[in-house]
Amino acid sequence: MKGIRLEEKTWEEAAKAIEDSGGVAILPIGSVEQHGKHLPLGTDSYVAQGISEAASAATGAVLIPPMWFGWCPHHMVLPGTVTIRPEILIEYLYDVLGSLSAHGLKKVVLVNGHRIVNIVWMQIAAQKAQEAFGIRAVIFDPAYMSKEIVSALDFGPVGHAEEIETSHMLHMHEHIVHMDRAIDNPVKKTERYSVDPSYALDTLCYVPSRKSDQEKHAKESGGTSGSPTKADKNKGEQYHDHLVQRMVEVIEELRRKDV
Amino acid sequence: MKGIRLEEKTWEEAAKAIEDSGGVAILPIGSVEQHGKHLPLGTDSYVAQGISEAASAATGAVLIPPMWFGWCPHHMVLPGTVTIRPEILIEYLYDVLGSLSAHGLKKVVLVNGHRIVNIVWMQIAAQKAQEAFGIRAVIFDPAYMSKEIVSALDFGPVGHAEEIETSHMLHMHEHIVHMDRAIDNPVKKTERYSVDPSYALDTLCYVPSRKSDQEKHAKESGGTSGSPTKADKNKGEQYHDHLVQRMVEVIEELRRKDV
Amino acid sequence: MKGIRLEEKTWEEAAKAIEDSGGVAILPIGSVEQHGKHLPLGTDSYVAQGISEAASAATGAVLIPPMWFGWCPHHMVLPGTVTIRPEILIEYLYDVLGSLSAHGLKKVVLVNGHRIVNIVWMQIAAQKAQEAFGIRAVIFDPAYMSKEIVSALDFGPVGHAEEIETSHMLHMHEHIVHMDRAIDNPVKKTERYSVDPSYALDTLCYVPSRKSDQEKHAKESGGTSGSPTKADKNKGEQYHDHLVQRMVEVIEELRRKDV
Amino acid sequence: MKGIRLEEKTWEEAAKAIEDSGGVAILPIGSVEQHGKHLPLGTDSYVAQGISEAASAATGAVLIPPMWFGWCPHHMVLPGTVTIRPEILIEYLYDVLGSLSAHGLKKVVLVNGHRIVNIVWMQIAAQKAQEAFGIRAVIFDPAYMSKEIVSALDFGPVGHAEEIETSHMLHMHEHIVHMDRAIDNPVKKTERYSVDPSYALDTLCYVPSRKSDQEKHAKESGGTSGSPTKADKNKGEQYHDHLVQRMVEVIEELRRKDV
Amino acid sequence: MKGIRLEEKTWEEAAKAIEDSGGVAILPIGSVEQHGKHLPLGTDSYVAQGISEAASAATGAVLIPPMWFGWCPHHMVLPGTVTIRPEILIEYLYDVLGSLSAHGLKKVVLVNGHRIVNIVWMQIAAQKAQEAFGIRAVIFDPAYMSKEIVSALDFGPVGHAEEIETSHMLHMHEHIVHMDRAIDNPVKKTERYSVDPSYALDTLCYVPSRKSDQEKHAKESGGTSGSPTKADKNKGEQYHDHLVQRMVEVIEELRRKDV
Amino acid sequence: MKGIRLEEKTWEEAAKAIEDSGGVAILPIGSVEQHGKHLPLGTDSYVAQGISEAASAATGAVLIPPMWFGWCPHHMVLPGTVTIRPEILIEYLYDVLGSLSAHGLKKVVLVNGHRIVNIVWMQIAAQKAQEAFGIRAVIFDPAYMSKEIVSALDFGPVGHAEEIETSHMLHMHEHIVHMDRAIDNPVKKTERYSVDPSYALDTLCYVPSRKSDQEKHAKESGGTSGSPTKADKNKGEQYHDHLVQRMVEVIEELRRKDV
């Protein structure tokens, strides 16, 4: 297992690792939810964990065991999805941050593998923890941290289980990606609406879809929004490396700041 | 007072207005917080209320009395700021939406005058209300709904109390805008960070600033981030009209959808 | 707009106004709920805001933007009513008081336009805020603060949308009072029960009516309890001036006390 | 032990008692708090329990085990006082009412021995339970239900541990009333303020005293407000009988109403 | 009434009693729930109160008024049962402990008459109070504190309303024990499951029964699990004395420890 | 990776696995907390996950991603420990169970690797979920499910990081067990107190230690309670196999029961 993993250490080893890290922790936060017919339910968690492990190994930041579940009420229409209320996730994350802070991990990178949906409650928890514990918490989200590489690689827009996620999973966990079942469902042009952080036009803000809307959508597309058949393992690797490199930069910057 | 204001009507008049509206309500949500040395504390609320009134008048959507206060813990360092915990705002808005739904207002435009900070708790409340009451709620935020006009008018980046907000306020409430006290504090280029929804580079996600960081910032700039001296009343009018027009389009679209 | 309104001031102006006020704030708290066929839904909020504005103008106490919504589950049977759970209102008000306290507004007059129903949660919030923030909060309610003038003016008993509220609204907002639609529904003599604070006989304490009881009531009376046709604009003015004068006295007394 | 006590019955006996009662329960709610130098801490609970037992015995209404503790943060300055947060008391009472309702006790007399302070949270709990469980709950408070007899007996104003409570306790539990330690501390004329429900002048609404104010008060008076030395055992009996008779009337009225 | 009862004392007497007690309080916590056809609903509360009174009298520890209700959702299938949500009981007990702590009662014996079901929430409340108030709280449960005597007296296994509880009640409150209605329903041998703390085999942990399972059970057995017809008043006395003696030992040990 | 892991499956595969499982899920719940100088912080989570994986593989029950963190406030005195408030863990687990139930996983084995401390909140969550979702949830705890094998293997009493846990970890994850650093700290004979579920004498119930007590303890023993130097890898294997076999039996029994 890669990275400076907290769970593998005795408390004496943990004390040393915390000191060596400069007080920086990485906490991967994902989601277990439908990802179309070709990607596993754990995709968002694999994303968060994969880039976190690599950045921990590269920097010595302490890797915290992951939060597997996120907020995804709109995906409950397809089997296997697990959703937690955001008000509970806020308090749960708040307690994790309070515990880490008590041991000197006062600079925390919250790594989100679930894109826009998790960010809202992570913001609230991060602010609350910053105020209560005097820590620094930043939110690192692949969709917001890959605008440049996504453009360079000429990926299509951010959707769900689309070519970006699929390419990334091909790079990390090819054995559980089923390209033969991938179905394209190109991101629809909706009036004044997009979940792509690079969207340049006027847009309403995101609200998770209503169940009735989502049911129709799930039936049509098998849960995919985008063009997974365009996925490319090599692009996935470049995408992965870009994100890891960005996380390394963020950690180095955190180390330069005071708490 | 402009718009189809709920508070001015008897319950019989309200029943008729609700029917005439096609079940569409507009709820302005603002913030009372420092806006530099030249703009009033209520700026965000004035923004939400101003565009909401105009869109209500133009469409017959029912205008709900405003929520004056929002989430702004980072602005508490300057006098007059009022902040409410997001978990309370979520439940408060949830109850408002439940009440409106009970009377047939099942399509609601949540108009946010406070940009990125309010959006998080509004998303949670909107999802929760959609699921519990079977309503449709959309979040209309000026910063996200003005990408096109901001670019066309050649405004600088979104900051705080900058030329965009100042121009808008000059158009709406010139008598409480004090251009003689406006101080420019150009938006800093921070590594991998921006609150402008049009920002095209990789970025961390927003977390309200820590109090210690904010105190330094407030002292330097008087609370402004951006270049208010470039504000222009005429541009403010075009900006305002653009937002109102966009809200009219959103309302028309909501009317076409089922609940 | 009358009064020393917080929302109209820059933070520098607010700082000065707070100092000039002696640390006294006025917070109007109303309700949006059915008020019979002749009064607008916002009546309780207009009442709270109207007397608060006048007292702010007369004393220099800082006028805080209003809380429009209150607790009125029993009025949900008629269109347009908005009710918030009292446990949410408590926390919301608590946060407002915490914010005001942080800026030096440590003596607060909570002005209730919604009579007995709002008072309960305001008491809980006021105590909680007094203990947490070391402030002084008093609850100023028109029904309890007008026993003397109501008797002097020979008004009938406190009901709902009755001649007292109607007279007051005629004085403040005549254009949205519809006397032609006013229907009398004299306050019933109920065994051991009254909501009038001047009631001299044994009585059970108030509990908001059950929905089934309220539905019957609403149909019979159109939501009115009392005799609005006896309303008198001139009496309304005297009633208004009495309340404003009382609030001025309360503010002067608060100024004499320590925090 | 007097009354139809739930705790003494087997579930079969309880089922019969519930049927015989017409579905009416009596729930005594008190407080354990300082009552001056001459009355025991449990006074408010003894009051609630004493009149409840007698009314249960007289009517066959089912007597529920008491809630001993109430909300009394202002009395914490003297030893032995126990206070529970009102938001917890609300939920606790709500659950009791839900349980009673499940067994057919759908008409409940909430008997408060703690006067104005407990009433607020009891109102919120009663409304919430009425809406959720379809029950009828009334709040029976000695101070509000004794206006007539207090006037007839020529008692002084309601204060704390004053001649009314002391007379009542002399009638019920003379062995733990210490008249030799009773100290008079006549109710002060405060501008626009009183806790007596018969007070005919303009008044602010009740908020529990701030700890600093209460500390001064406690030292001066030993916790008493009023004139306990005027207590009279015979008057206490008449007062007691009046309250019991009133509760019997309330129960009979509840039996006539539907649920 | 036996024991050093807080409710009977004035605050001056309470102050002295607290000092004399060495800061030790006893808080009896029970349940009002079905106990078969022969035992009263209040059995668990009588158990907690009975041994607490005796231990208070023997040691001078201050006896706090009881919490009558506990957590017993599974017994709601039979009339008269009252259950409170554990999250509410936690906060309620937390507030009681906070109040006691404020007056110097910093060593508290929480006496549970309801066996395994109450213990869970008591543990959470006790930990929370220990951390917040710096007190010591121990949980004294008859089932766990009687392993030795139960074995010596050759009682059968712990069930519900079985010979142990019945014997104890015969000793304490014979007049409300109806031996003529006692029905045996021997504790079933369930694979890998027991609620007896002396059970020596592998076992799943306790979870309150599902309502559907409980309904079947209640109909078969009248709510009893065990052999109440084997109850013996004399054994009940020895059992009672054993528990009181154990509580005396616990109190003496608490007195020796620091806070 | 062993077992039928939910996260590895697409939603179509998950649907099939759920059907094949007979609706049975296994949810491992651990803790990240100090385990002496020789065992890793993740020990409790490894325990829960290790036996869950094996039982999933053996039975086809669906393995849910783990909850890594538990309730362990008393271990916060040593570095690396992460504790979550039990009221948050309850709601978090409740949501997981609600999600699983929505997809047909209505029989859930909650596997606890953290012994007595986690059980309390798991009981509350399990009851709440059973009532709300109509599921069956059982709590499988190694300490309670190994009484027989622990006796047969002649292990010493349950403590913390003692020979039982150490043997188990030697079998599962020898590379992160540091026998050279193991320090014996035999379980103390405390009057009327033990955390061993096989303890046959009278005992108080468990409450997590106060921080001050725990600090002393941690310094003396390095966090161990028991005799880890007696650990034996072969015994660890037998212990492991016993637990897995027991879980298989529990799952088979669940399959025979209705929901």
Side-chain angles (χ1 to χ4, degrees), chain F residues 107-210:
Chain F
K107 298 171 176 178
V108 186
V109 185
L110 304 172
V111 181
N112 175 34
H114 179 35
R115 293 167 170 178
I116 201 167
V117 200
N118 267 356
I119 295 172
V120 291
W121 61 264
M122 289 168 69
Q123 283 181 254
I124 295 173
Q127 189 279 331
K128 193 169 165 171
Q130 288 196 153
E131 188 162 320
F133 309 125
I135 65 170
R136 275 191 194 280
V138 298
I139 300 174
F140 186 103
D141 179 84
Y144 285 84
M145 265 301 174
S146 65
K147 292 184 198 170
E148 299 170 22
I149 187 80
V150 160
S151 169
L153 292 172
D154 203 25
F155 273 136
V158 167
H160 188 69
E162 82 300 90
E163 68 201 88
I164 308 173
E165 284 192 316
T166 307
S167 300
H168 197 190
M169 283 295 287
L170 279 173
H171 167 63
M172 290 194 301
H173 299 284
E174 191 168 11
H175 69 293
I176 45 175
V177 177
H178 308 276
M179 288 308 296
D180 54 320
R181 303 182 202 153
I183 299 172
D184 284 356
N185 176 38
V187 174
K188 285 179 189 62
K189 295 228 169 172
T190 312
E191 288 287 297
R192 290 169 296 285
Y193 192 72
S194 169
V195 297
D196 189 317
S198 296
Y199 190 65
L201 300 179
D202 293 349
T203 180
L204 289 167
C205 297
Y206 178 75
V207 177
S209 306
R210 297 166 10 122

Side-chain angles (χ1 to χ4, degrees), chain E residues 71 73 86-87 90-91 116 119-121 123-124 126-128 130-131 134-141 144-149 191-192 197 199-211 213 242 246 249-250 253 258-259, chain F residues 71 73 86-87 90-91 116 119-121 123-124 126-128 130-131 134-141 144-149 191-192 197 199-211 213 242 246 249-250 253 258-259:
Chain E
W71 185 42
E87 51 267 45
I90 290 167
E91 297 300 319
I116 201 167
I119 294 172
V120 289
W121 61 264
Q123 283 181 256
I124 296 173
Q127 190 279 330
K128 194 169 164 171
Q130 288 196 154
E131 188 161 320
I135 65 169
R136 274 191 195 279
V138 297
I139 300 175
F140 186 103
D141 179 85
Y144 286 84
M145 264 301 173
S146 65
K147 291 184 198 171
E148 299 170 22
I149 187 81
E191 289 286 298
R192 291 168 297 284
Y199 190 65
L201 301 179
D202 292 351
T203 180
L204 289 166
C205 298
Y206 179 74
V207 176
S209 306
R210 296 166 11 125
K211 215 162 269 187
D213 296 351
H242 175 88
R246 283 289 186 239
E249 292 165 22
V250 166
E253 172 122 355
D258 61 345
V259 270
Chain F
W71 184 41
E87 51 266 45
I90 289 167
E91 297 300 318
I116 201 167
I119 295 172
V120 291
W121 61 264
Q123 283 181 254
I124 295 173
Q127 189 279 331
K128 193 169 165 171
Q130 288 196 153
E131 188 162 320
I135 65 170
R136 275 191 194 280
V138 298
I139 300 174
F140 186 103
D141 179 84
Y144 285 84
M145 265 301 174
S146 65
K147 292 184 198 170
E148 299 170 22
I149 187 80
E191 288 287 297
R192 290 169 296 285
Y199 190 65
L201 300 179
D202 293 349
T203 180
L204 289 167
C205 297
Y206 178 75
V207 177
S209 306
R210 297 166 10 122
K211 215 162 269 187
D213 296 350
H242 176 88
R246 282 291 185 238
E249 292 164 22
V250 165
E253 172 122 355
D258 60 345
V259 271

Side-chain angles (χ1 to χ4, degrees), chain B residues 31-42:
Chain B
S31 183
V32 173
E33 64 179 44
Q34 73 86 3
H35 268 77
K37 302 196 171 196
H38 66 295
L39 286 179
L41 290 157

Side-chain angles (χ1 to χ4, degrees), chain E residues 165-252:
Chain E
E165 284 192 316
T166 307
S167 300
H168 196 190
M169 282 296 287
L170 279 173
H171 168 61
M172 291 194 301
H173 299 284
E174 190 169 11
H175 68 295
I176 45 175
V177 178
H178 307 277
M179 288 306 297
D180 53 319
R181 303 182 202 153
I183 299 172
D184 283 356
N185 175 37
V187 174
K188 286 179 188 64
K189 295 227 169 171
T190 313
E191 289 286 298
R192 291 168 297 284
Y193 191 71
S194 169
V195 296
D196 190 318
S198 297
Y199 190 65
L201 301 179
D202 292 351
T203 180
L204 289 166
C205 298
Y206 179 74
V207 176
S209 306
R210 296 166 11 125
K211 215 162 269 187
S212 56
D213 296 351
Q214 199 68 14
E215 266 160 12
K216 194 164 36 165
H217 173 70
K219 264 175 212 150
E220 286 168 13
S221 71
T224 295
S225 173
S227 301
T229 64
K230 296 186 185 155
D232 178 295
K233 187 177 174 180
N234 185 263
K235 284 189 182 180
E237 183 176 7
Q238 292 178 65
Y239 174 83
H240 179 83
D241 291 347
H242 175 88
L243 289 171
V244 173
Q245 177 52 29
R246 283 289 186 239
M247 205 186 302
V248 169
E249 292 165 22
V250 166
I251 288 165
E252 285 168 353

Side-chain angles (χ1 to χ4, degrees), chain A residues 1 5 8 11 15 40 131 134-135 140 159 162 166 200 230 233 246 252 258:
Chain A
M1 304 286 264
R5 306 181 89 92
E8 294 184 346
W11 66 260
E131 188 161 320
I135 64 171
F140 185 102
E162 82 299 270
T166 307
K230 297 186 183 156
K233 187 179 175 179
R246 282 290 186 237
E252 285 167 353
D258 60 346

Side-chain angles (χ1 to χ4, degrees), chain D:
Chain D
M1 304 287 263
K2 284 196 306 183
I4 309 299
R5 305 181 90 90
L6 183 67
E7 69 268 30
E8 293 185 346
K9 308 210 168 304
T10 67
W11 65 261
E12 289 181 321
E13 294 165 350
K16 185 167 184 318
I18 291 168
E19 197 175 334
D20 292 349
S21 74
V24 180
I26 304 173
L27 175 56
I29 300 175
S31 182
V32 173
E33 64 179 43
Q34 73 87 3
H35 269 77
K37 300 195 171 195
H38 66 295
L39 286 180
L41 290 156
T43 294
D44 290 352
S45 290
Y46 290 128
V47 165
Q49 295 174 28
I51 56 177
S52 295
E53 285 168 8
S56 170
T59 62
V62 179
L63 182 62
I64 309 304
M67 289 175 62
W68 275 92
F69 305 120
W71 185 41
C72 49
H74 50 311
H75 288 307
M76 285 296 290
V77 297
L78 287 176
T81 302
V82 174
T83 186
I84 313 284
R85 281 164 293 163
E87 50 268 44
I88 304 308
L89 289 162
I90 289 167
E91 297 299 319
Y92 187 96
L93 174 52
Y94 175 83
D95 281 6
V96 175
L97 292 173
S99 296
L100 298 183
S101 165
H103 304 306
L105 289 165
K106 291 190 170 289
K107 298 171 175 178
V108 187
V109 185
L110 304 172
V111 181
N112 175 34
H114 180 33
R115 293 167 169 178
I116 201 167
V117 200
N118 267 356
I119 294 172
V120 290
W121 61 263
M122 289 167 69
Q123 282 180 257
I124 295 173
Q127 190 279 331
K128 193 168 165 173
Q130 288 196 154
E131 188 162 321
F133 309 125
I135 65 169
R136 275 191 194 280
V138 298
I139 300 174
F140 185 102
D141 180 85
Y144 285 84
M145 265 301 174
S146 65
K147 291 184 199 170
E148 299 170 22
I149 187 80
V150 159
S151 167
L153 292 172
D154 201 27
F155 274 136
V158 167
H160 188 67
E162 82 299 270
E163 67 200 87
I164 308 173
E165 285 192 316
T166 307
S167 300
H168 196 190
M169 283 295 286
L170 279 173
H171 167 61
M172 290 194 300
H173 299 283
E174 190 168 11
H175 69 294
I176 45 175
V177 178
H178 308 277
M179 289 305 298
D180 53 320
R181 304 184 201 151
I183 300 172
D184 283 355
N185 176 37
V187 173
K188 284 179 189 60
K189 295 229 168 170
T190 313
E191 288 288 296
R192 290 169 298 285
Y193 191 72
S194 169
V195 297
D196 189 317
S198 296
Y199 189 65
L201 300 179
D202 293 351
T203 179
L204 290 167
C205 297
Y206 178 75
V207 177
S209 306
R210 296 166 12 124
K211 214 162 271 187
S212 56
D213 295 350
Q214 198 69 13
E215 264 159 14
K216 193 164 36 164
H217 173 70
K219 264 176 215 148
E220 286 169 12
S221 70
T224 295
S225 173
S227 301
T229 64
K230 296 187 184 156
D232 177 294
K233 187 178 175 180
N234 185 263
K235 283 189 184 181
E237 184 177 7
Q238 292 177 65
Y239 174 84
H240 180 82
D241 292 347
H242 176 89
L243 289 172
V244 173
Q245 177 52 30
R246 282 291 185 236
M247 205 186 302
V248 169
E249 291 165 24
V250 166
I251 289 165
E252 284 167 355
E253 173 122 355
L254 272 177
R255 281 184 176 143
R256 283 192 295 272
K257 291 200 177 169
D258 60 345
V259 272

